[in-house]
Amino acid sequence: MTWGFYGRTEELRRVNGILTRNRWFFAKMTGRRRIGKTTLIQRAIQASDARHVYYVQIPDSGPAGVLSAVRDALESFGVPAEKFPRPRTLAEFAALINSLARAGYVVILDEFQYFIRSQLAAFCSYLQAQVDTLSAEADQVVGGLIVLGSIHTEMTALLEDRSAPLYSRTTDEIALSHLDIGSILEILREHADTEPNRLLFLWTLFEGVPKFYRDCYEQGVLGVGRQDLLRKIFFESSSPLRTEADNWFLRELRGRYDVVLKFVARHGGSMHNELVAQIQEISRESSEQVSGYLKVLVERYGLIEKKLPIFAPSRARKTRYYLADNFLKAWLAALANPVAALNFRPVEVLVARADKLLFDVEGKGFEKLVANLYEERSRKGLPGFNLTQRIEGYWDKGGTEIDLIALNDAESIIRFGSCKRAADKLVADLPVFDAHVRRFLEVFPRFEKWSIERVSIAPVVPAHVKGEIKGRGRIVQDLDDLTADL
């Protein structure tokens, strides 16, 4: 089958609504790189009556580089020079957007966050003046402006900060997240298979980034074995993702924060003091520098996420740090070093090494996948557990460790989950799991009157293991159970 358009039904409906208003709009769309922002806009434009489109990707450059990209794009999209003179300054570029919108163009500025750079900052003031005139005559303007950005905090600073020239000017905002798991399953049903270990392998690598699945499809490896896929996608000279992390993630950081990112990728779940001590030992950075790096990576780039045990107050000193992006975690923890050694070691040895490391990464990836599946099933009203809040884990200094805790406040049901990468560990884990649950209930006695459920989860659980666990009064699930009907 040919590659299709997967998921994004609600987002597509919203963009279609914006494009068909036949009045001025100024829309903001954010989302990580490769998440499909441009593809979504293209799809919506194809379904609308929009006849004129002007798209330009803003380079991370000075005014001359931006204006050069603007002029090149004007030629590429056939915008007539006699009607729309080529801009020579950023002020003229802002005026050009006004003219294009009045002529019915959908103007799309990609990588808009680069206008936060000091050498480009004046453009936002110039654009403010043009947007205000267009907004004042919105009913007479049939075109509009869409700005796309991949760094949420910088887009927020440009468009939502009260001191920003463009504050409160947007008419619409769309945040594009990962494809849901139902959409990934649709991709796999059409182009590979939904075997549980394949789903876990691909989701640990690519999560819900449609571009990465399409890369595998175009290379003809979406349905092949693990090592064949890794070799084709990462280890050959023409591999599409061989330089992805360096080009699109690490380049944005301009060589900073590498040690912190690598350590968190390889030691996900570490607490602040552990991170500081280990990173200081490796790099001799001060504790203040490490703390500053963590703050930037969490708050500005969203590359690291902080997690607290369920019910912990926001200031509790139990925070654990994880890489938020599956692809970056897989790259830094399992792929970067083997790929870097291509000129010195046999490729078969390096691919096997990367595969082994990635298998280890899949352990924590599996917990995240299960939590997402629980939430997606509940959101879509599918059979299973009806959640009333997000799934979280629990840990304490006494050694209590529970992978997943699901709450149904409406029916007073609490479910504790234990996730294992290998099903043969589930049975042996039962007494340990019970001890963790017992200690949790001692800390939170209010749940003792609730219906208490314990569930053991692995990617694939053989029938005899399921039977033994169920015989002990426990629930047991695997990925076939959790993806049923999705």
Side-chain angles (χ1 to χ4, degrees):
M1 297 182 67
T2 58
W3 188 260
F5 182 81
Y6 302 97
R8 308 290 191 216
T9 303
E10 174 59 22
E11 294 92 339
L12 187 60
R13 183 194 65 78
R14 289 189 62 193
V15 178
N16 280 332
I18 294 167
L19 295 176
T20 54
R21 283 183 199 148
N22 293 318
R23 72 190 307 275
W24 162 253
F25 58 85
F26 179 14
K28 176 186 80 168
M29 182 179 293
T30 57
R32 74 154 340 259
R33 297 187 187 278
R34 310 302 203 196
I35 203 67
K37 299 184 293 294
T38 306
T39 301
L40 177 64
I41 298 294
Q42 290 172 338
R43 185 79 173 188
I45 287 173
Q46 290 169 3
S48 73
D49 295 328
R51 290 173 295 172
H52 303 301
V53 177
Y54 171 65
Y55 168 91
V56 58
Q57 182 171 314
I58 305 301
D60 187 5
S61 178
V66 169
L67 292 168
S68 176
V70 167
R71 290 192 291 269
D72 288 347
L74 288 167
E75 300 301 325
S76 297
F77 282 84
V79 180
E82 60 275 12
K83 188 173 181 180
F84 302 99
R86 285 13 185 180
R88 294 166 297 175
T89 66
L90 293 177
E92 290 181 3
F93 176 35
L96 172 67
I97 292 171
N98 186 322
S99 301
L100 290 169
R102 291 179 184 278
Y105 275 80
V106 177
V107 179
I108 305 164
L109 306 185
D110 203 351
E111 304 295 357
F112 187 76
Q113 75 270 2
Y114 289 138
F115 284 113
I116 205 168
R117 305 281 193 251
S118 59
Q119 65 266 41
L120 300 177
F123 173 75
C124 292
S125 296
Y126 303 141
L127 184 59
Q128 175 202 339
Q130 304 297 335
V131 166
D132 287 348
T133 63
L134 291 164
S135 298
E137 305 170 35
D139 291 335
Q140 286 77 51
V141 180
V142 294
L145 171 64
I146 303 175
V147 295
L148 313 179
S150 56
I151 302 180
H152 181 75
T153 53
E154 293 187 352
M155 293 291 284
T156 298
L158 287 168
L159 299 168
E160 297 177 32
D161 190 288
R162 288 183 176 274
S163 63
L166 292 170
Y167 171 70
S168 195
R169 263 60 177 193
T170 56
T171 60
D172 303 88
E173 298 182 8
I174 298 174
L176 212 58
S177 59
H178 289 269
L179 288 179
D180 64 18
I181 300 166
S183 299
I184 296 169
L185 289 167
E186 183 183 357
I187 291 172
L188 296 182
R189 279 192 289 266
E190 291 190 1
H191 303 294
D193 60 70
T194 58
E195 194 276 324
N197 285 306
R198 184 181 306 281
L199 172 63
L200 176 59
F201 168 64
L202 292 172
W203 194 85
T204 299
L205 270 175
F206 306 136
E207 201 167 342
V209 182
K211 173 66 166 58
F212 297 162
Y213 292 90
R214 181 161 189 171
D215 287 337
C216 292
Y217 161 78
E218 290 175 345
Q219 296 292 322
V221 295
L222 201 54
V224 304
R226 297 168 58 102
Q227 294 192 17
D228 289 336
L229 183 147
L230 291 175
R231 177 169 183 156
K232 190 71 174 179
I233 296 299
F234 294 101
F235 285 87
E236 296 182 355
S237 59
S238 59
S239 293
L241 300 184
R242 183 173 174 177
T243 60
E244 175 71 17
D246 290 335
N247 287 344
W248 293 108
F249 279 105
L250 305 181
R251 186 187 68 179
E252 197 75 55
L253 304 178
R254 299 170 183 262
R256 295 168 292 180
Y257 318 114
D258 292 18
V259 174
V260 176
L261 281 171
K262 288 177 183 176
F263 188 84
V264 175
R266 296 165 187 174
H267 303 85
S270 294
M271 294 189 180
H272 186 275
N273 61 332
E274 296 170 332
L275 283 173
V276 171
Q278 292 294 328
I279 293 169
Q280 282 183 298
E281 185 176 327
I282 296 169
S283 65
R284 305 299 181 188
E285 303 278 8
S286 70
S287 60
E288 291 79 9
Q289 281 179 300
V290 176
S291 296
Y293 291 164
L294 282 170
K295 182 179 175 67
V296 170
L297 290 168
V298 171
E299 296 180 4
R300 180 180 179 189
Y301 292 104
L303 294 178
I304 291 177
E305 59 182 345
K306 300 193 300 183
K307 291 186 178 182
L308 282 165
I310 194 168
F311 307 130
S314 59
R315 294 184 178 275
R317 301 175 66 85
K318 300 177 182 178
T319 302
R320 289 181 172 180
Y321 291 84
Y322 299 86
L323 250 64
D325 188 86
N326 279 16
F327 178 80
L328 188 57
K329 179 179 180 179
W331 175 258
L332 291 174
L335 292 161
N337 286 348
V339 169
L342 270 172
N343 292 329
F344 310 101
R345 300 287 306 282
V347 66
E348 294 80 7
V349 173
L350 295 172
V351 171
R353 172 64 175 161
D355 187 30
K356 182 181 183 301
L357 291 170
L358 189 61
F359 190 89
D360 295 335
V361 173
E362 289 172 15
K364 282 296 180 184
F366 180 58
E367 291 180 23
K368 184 177 175 182
L369 175 59
V370 170
N372 282 19
L373 282 166
Y374 261 73
E375 291 169 9
E376 186 169 329
R377 294 186 69 84
S378 182
R379 184 173 64 250
K380 294 180 175 179
L382 294 174
F385 192 91
N386 297 319
L387 292 167
T388 52
Q389 69 178 61
R390 182 179 176 179
I391 282 191
E392 302 286 358
Y394 179 81
W395 55 92
D396 63 22
K397 293 181 179 179
T400 304
E401 187 87 28
I402 301 174
D403 297 332
L404 305 170
I405 299 177
L407 294 176
N408 179 344
D409 294 290
E411 300 177 67
S412 297
I413 304 171
I414 184 168
R415 178 177 290 189
F416 300 95
S418 174
C419 297
K420 298 296 180 186
R421 180 66 180 82
D424 58 5
K425 296 181 179 179
L426 291 177
V427 175
D429 178 62
L430 289 176
V432 178
F433 180 31
D434 286 345
H436 290 310
V437 172
R438 185 173 60 254
R439 288 195 295 270
F440 175 91
L441 294 173
E442 289 171 356
V443 177
F444 299 101
R446 69 181 184 272
F447 292 110
E448 289 181 350
K449 295 182 179 180
W450 285 36
S451 295
I452 297 169
E453 299 178 347
R454 297 170 176 83
V455 56
S456 299
I457 312 169
V460 178
V461 183
H464 72 278
V465 175
K466 281 191 174 184
E468 184 169 354
I469 294 173
K470 288 180 178 179
R472 300 192 188 187
R474 305 290 188 266
I475 300 168
V476 58
Q477 294 177 317
D478 58 20
L479 287 180
D480 280 339
D481 300 317
L482 293 172
T483 57
D485 304 319
L486 274 179

